[in-house]
Amino acid sequence: MLVSEILAIKGKVLFTIAPNRSIAEAVEIMNEQDVGSLVVFSRGAMVGMLTFRQVLQAVQKGGADWQALTVEDVMLRDPLTAAPGMEMDELRRLMVEHHQRYLPVMEDHTLLGVVSFHDVAKAVLEEQSFENRMLKNYIRNWPASEDEER
């Protein structure tokens, strides 16, 4: 399965934020949209990612004034990205090795979407379920051997 197929299953809704916005605004968007990451855009280009991990680090770093920190203060700069033609196994390896639960999917300089570890797990389950149904159907319709026909 390819990353582009995972995006097709997930859908391509994107949630973005500007780097000069406050962490409090980012938290509000993440809660309202029930997402764990926001892509940070400036002047039409991706400049970083903000995930719940960076938000927790901001809370620790900022203390009582954490809400005044900006997205730019705590975002992950130049995050790893996935290509739409990347195989799912390579995507999983990349996510695990680099401890990134969210990866932007880029084609040249165009953001196509964001895949999460949850999206990958869901795609694996759907793929396994499909293969399971196909195998059961094949077994049910197993051709009779010559010995059985006699």
Side-chain angles (χ1 to χ4, degrees), residues 68-135:
L69 292 171
T70 65
V71 169
E72 188 172 30
D73 293 333
V74 297
M75 72 182 185
L76 176 62
R77 297 174 190 280
D78 300 318
L80 292 174
T81 61
M86 181 183 281
E87 289 285 341
M88 184 170 50
D89 288 341
E90 183 182 352
L91 174 69
R92 287 191 299 198
R93 184 190 52 74
L94 192 64
M95 293 175 100
V96 168
E97 284 179 3
H98 295 277
H99 301 283
Q100 278 195 235
R101 291 182 176 99
Y102 303 91
L103 279 182
V105 180
M106 302 289 290
E107 188 166 47
D108 298 320
H109 296 290
T110 304
L111 178 67
L112 300 178
V114 175
V115 290
S116 69
F117 213 74
H118 176 266
D119 299 328
V120 173
K122 184 177 176 184
V124 167
L125 286 175
E126 288 190 24
E127 187 176 52
Q128 288 174 343
S129 176
F130 174 75
E131 287 175 358
N132 192 5
R133 286 192 311 272
M134 297 304 290
L135 286 170

Side-chain angles (χ1 to χ4, degrees), residues 35-73:
V35 294
S37 70
L38 298 172
V39 181
V40 184
F41 263 86
S42 180
R43 296 185 181 110
M46 180 182 72
V47 294
M49 285 282 293
L50 183 73
T51 71
F52 63 87
R53 181 178 288 157
Q54 282 79 42
V55 170
L56 289 174
Q57 290 169 349
V59 169
Q60 182 182 25
K61 176 183 175 182
D65 296 326
W66 69 269
Q67 295 178 345
L69 292 171
T70 65
V71 169
E72 188 172 30
D73 293 333

Side-chain angles (χ1 to χ4, degrees), residues 6-27:
I6 297 170
L7 280 180
I9 292 168
K10 172 190 177 159
K12 296 183 180 181
V13 176
L14 290 170
F15 297 100
T16 64
I17 194 162
N20 63 343
R21 305 300 247 178
S22 73
I23 292 298
E25 289 176 88
V27 168

